[in-house]
Amino acid sequence: MTEPQGTRLNIRPITLADYPQLADIMAKVYPDLGGAWSEATLAKLIRLFPAGQIAIVDHDHVVAVALTLCVKYDKYSIPHRYDEVINEKRIPGHNAKGDALYGLDVFVDPNYRGARLGRRLYEARKELCRDLNLRAILAGGRLPGYHKVADQMEVTDYIEAVGRKSIHDPILSFQLSNDFTVKRLMRGYLPEDTNSAGFATLLEWDNIFYERDDNSIAYESIKSQVRVGVVQWQMQHTHSVDDLLNQVEFFVDAMSDYRSDFALFPEFFSAPLMGLAPDLSAVEAMRFLAGFTKEICYRISQMAVSYNINIIAGSLPLIDNDQVYNVAYLCRRDGSVEEQRKIHITPSERRDWIISGGDRIQTFETDAGRVGILICYDVEFPELGRILAEQKIDILFVPFWTDTKNGYLRVRHCAQARAIENECYVVIGGSCGNLPRVDNVDIQYAQSAVFTPSDLFFPHDAIQSEAVANSEQLLFADLDIDKLQQLHFEGSVNNLRDRRHDLYRLKWFDDAE
């Protein structure tokens, strides 16, 4: 299946060539505050602190921007005015040896409102703060909603009401939801901001990983802490594809709220839709189900973008050249989509649904590590996991569907073996419940889990997290990718390094062979 046409988001540094698009957005967003900054001001920002000027682009079109400085914490963690940070003539706030970031501005193209791009830019700022080992992010937060109630309450009461969520302020509510705290009230921060009556809040986000080090600042680092979310999916009667996708979005929203980098759904999670045509034979029902795959994949891809989370969309049936395949889709949060077809088909899949096996295995690059996907039965073949391990995956995702406990234990034990022998994390996600109107998917058994290698750096039972068996729920786990690197070189045993290539090798035969 080709990737959906439409949104394709990417985060990158701003260049001066972006100015016309940036100015256009700024003019739309701030018509009452002077509109766009000058091109010369943007050029200064890029020259002084290129890493802090961040854009989200849809294909090649700038749709959201974050502008940031590096400052001295002691100077700007007390009340100040905006023109003491930046003004038309100069940028007095920037200090290349500063120990904090200062958020100058974040703005989003009005046509992209609702896609949570502002939140994504805030997360990018936080990662920059951690990467540079800076102590905090500071910002002056305008109060554009205050003018509506200024004749009814003091500004301090307004800030407290926003904190209690009894009043919504477009800027302060957003900043509080992104883990910023109000430290001070600043008067005369931006006098021309009449909607805020010149007031602003001094906001701070603390970097809990900050370590005082005056000798070095690293500008590049690889994401080392990855959060995965797993949906242990309840199979139940559904009325329509919209009904099913509403349930999917509920879980995606929840996992996004917990800042997950990945969301895993089970194999054939769309199976309840077969209940919409109960009189079809098993073969016909699977082909009927495949008719929904394009729409489901497209809409989940849109959720990945909107909720800023990479989604492994379980697996879905796909008809290609009149053959039915069992396909897992990786829907990245930049809008791109790739697929992994199930290689090994179980006897029941071949017999009841006439499903064919795929002929290609691959790894996937993501913004949270290199991953692989093996669908259910495939994880029971150690060759596939080893091929992926040779391509240096960090996490192996295994969407599965099993009907009995012994079937589930085959998947579980093999998944644990793949984690140990390949020195990677393995995440398995299955379904529970029953579908009495759907042949061959009538009962389920699952206990989703996240497995680790078995060594001193990891939990004693090599289980990072696991769900309660046969109960619909969300499972979360934080994975430390740096520990995998430590294991590769300092582990008690070295399963990958100690292989005897002088005696045996594993080879994938391509079409040419």
Side-chain angles (χ1 to χ4, degrees):
M1 180 176 179
T2 59
E3 98 182 40
Q5 297 298 312
T7 305
R8 179 67 183 272
L9 299 180
N10 184 39
I11 295 183
R12 63 164 174 78
I14 291 171
T15 68
L16 196 55
D18 295 323
Y19 177 74
Q21 297 179 52
L22 181 151
D24 181 64
I25 300 173
M26 213 170 185
K28 293 176 183 177
V29 173
Y30 300 127
D32 57 339
L33 292 176
W37 290 354
S38 69
E39 186 173 4
T41 298
L42 180 65
K44 289 179 184 177
L45 287 172
I46 294 173
R47 176 173 55 82
L48 291 172
F49 191 36
Q53 319 318 318
I54 305 167
I56 296 179
V57 295
D58 184 0
H59 297 277
D60 293 322
H61 184 70
V62 176
V63 296
V65 171
L67 304 174
T68 313
L69 293 179
C70 190
V71 300
K72 283 289 188 179
Y73 178 86
D74 290 341
K75 183 175 181 178
Y76 289 100
S77 59
I78 58 177
H80 56 273
R81 297 189 312 274
Y82 190 67
D83 62 8
E84 293 174 337
V85 184
I86 186 170
N87 56 58
E88 292 181 357
K89 297 181 179 180
R90 60 195 186 95
I91 305 176
H94 182 71
N95 189 318
K97 296 182 179 180
D99 56 354
L101 294 181
Y102 192 100
L104 290 174
D105 214 337
V106 166
F107 47 92
V108 177
D109 187 323
N111 294 325
Y112 285 75
R113 297 272 170 81
R116 297 175 173 83
L117 301 188
R119 175 168 152 182
R120 188 176 300 199
L121 289 170
Y122 268 54
E123 291 300 316
R125 263 192 191 150
K126 292 174 186 177
E127 288 212 19
L128 179 64
C129 185
R130 288 187 285 258
D131 291 348
L132 302 185
N133 189 34
L134 303 179
R135 64 186 292 180
I137 302 174
L138 301 170
R142 296 167 50 230
L143 302 168
Y146 178 57
H147 72 282
K148 299 177 182 178
V149 295
D151 60 345
Q152 304 168 33
M153 62 174 64
E154 296 293 327
V155 65
T156 51
D157 296 328
Y158 177 80
I159 293 170
E160 290 179 1
V162 174
R164 295 193 305 269
K165 299 184 179 179
S166 57
I167 292 179
H168 176 80
D169 183 271
I171 291 180
L172 182 56
S173 296
F174 175 75
Q175 291 164 326
L176 295 177
S177 71
N178 280 276
D179 304 319
F180 280 73
T181 57
V182 176
K183 309 300 288 188
R184 302 279 183 89
L185 174 66
M186 299 190 291
R187 301 174 186 272
Y189 178 73
L190 197 62
E192 62 267 38
D193 180 14
T194 55
N195 285 346
S196 304
F199 291 112
T201 56
L202 175 58
L203 296 148
E204 180 173 338
W205 175 84
D206 290 317
N207 176 14
I208 63 173
F209 298 104
Y210 171 68
E211 295 181 29
R212 186 174 296 277
D213 180 5
D214 298 327
N215 297 319
S216 65
I217 295 181
Y219 279 85
E220 295 183 2
S221 88
I222 298 172
K223 189 177 182 70
S224 61
Q225 298 293 324
V226 175
R227 178 166 294 175
V228 297
V230 184
V231 181
Q232 188 155 284
W233 178 262
Q234 176 84 24
M235 290 286 196
Q236 55 189 323
H237 176 68
T238 190
H239 300 285
S240 65
V241 67
D242 286 332
D243 188 21
L244 183 98
L245 286 167
N246 284 339
Q247 187 72 356
V248 170
E249 187 168 13
F250 167 80
F251 287 117
V252 170
D253 186 13
M255 287 183 282
S256 175
D257 283 344
Y258 281 92
R259 305 292 195 270
S260 287
D261 295 292
F262 292 100
L264 174 65
F265 284 83
E267 180 182 22
F268 283 152
F269 69 94
S270 63
L273 293 173
M274 288 194 284
L276 301 179
D279 298 328
L280 297 180
S281 68
V283 173
E284 293 169 334
M286 183 53 64
R287 288 179 170 262
F288 170 78
L289 183 62
F292 296 102
T293 293
K294 183 176 181 180
E295 179 181 1
I296 292 172
C297 186
Y298 176 78
R299 289 174 61 178
I300 290 180
S301 175
Q302 294 302 297
M303 293 179 203
V305 171
S306 179
Y307 288 96
N308 191 26
I309 185 170
N310 300 301
I311 303 174
I312 295 89
S315 77
L316 299 162
L318 173 71
I319 297 177
D320 185 7
N321 291 326
D322 204 40
Q323 298 293 311
V324 180
Y325 295 91
N326 185 349
V327 184
Y329 293 97
L330 170 61
C331 300
R332 295 187 184 88
R333 50 187 160 197
D334 68 359
S336 62
V337 178
E338 292 193 74
E339 68 173 42
Q340 175 62 63
R341 301 187 180 189
K342 190 172 185 178
I343 305 298
H344 300 92
I345 305 304
T346 65
S348 62
E349 285 177 297
R350 287 198 302 269
R351 180 185 64 245
D352 299 328
W353 293 325
I354 319 298
I355 291 180
S356 301
D359 58 7
R360 187 166 65 100
I361 192 84
Q362 64 177 321
T363 60
F364 303 97
E365 299 294 339
T366 76
D367 57 12
R370 182 176 295 171
V371 305
I373 304 172
L374 295 178
I375 303 173
C376 197
Y377 193 34
D378 278 342
V379 80
E380 298 177 30
F381 295 82
E383 298 89 348
L384 298 186
R386 181 50 53 85
I387 288 171
L388 294 174
E390 288 177 342
Q391 298 177 54
K392 303 186 184 306
I393 62 167
D394 301 308
I395 308 171
L396 175 61
F397 290 98
V398 182
F400 71 90
W401 169 75
T402 52
D403 54 352
T404 62
K405 186 172 183 179
N406 56 359
Y408 160 73
L409 289 176
R410 284 196 301 270
V411 172
R412 179 187 178 97
H413 293 325
C414 290
Q416 288 186 285
R418 303 296 85 82
I420 293 170
E421 67 198 15
N422 296 313
E423 299 177 1
C424 66
Y425 295 106
V426 179
V427 184
I428 67 172
S431 54
C432 56
N434 60 80
L435 290 172
R437 300 179 65 194
V438 180
D439 288 342
N440 307 310
V441 198
D442 44 356
I443 60 173
Q444 336 285 322
Y445 188 101
Q447 186 176 17
S448 303
V450 180
F451 303 124
T452 73
S454 185
D455 213 309
L456 298 175
F457 315 114
F458 304 97
H460 68 92
D461 55 2
I463 301 172
Q464 189 74 22
S465 184
E466 63 182 336
V468 175
N470 295 326
S471 175
E472 184 176 65
Q473 61 198 275
L474 284 177
L475 179 69
F476 294 98
D478 289 333
L479 307 181
D480 189 336
I481 304 303
D482 287 344
K483 287 185 177 180
L484 296 179
Q485 300 303 316
Q486 190 176 6
L487 173 68
H488 296 335
F489 295 98
E490 302 175 13
S492 303
V493 295
N494 302 113
N495 295 84
L496 290 177
R497 291 170 58 196
D498 290 341
R499 288 172 294 162
R500 292 288 304 276
H501 289 304
D502 58 322
L503 298 178
Y504 57 84
R505 293 186 183 181
L506 183 61
K507 183 176 183 180
W508 182 272
F509 296 103
D510 59 28
D511 293 337
E513 298 174 291

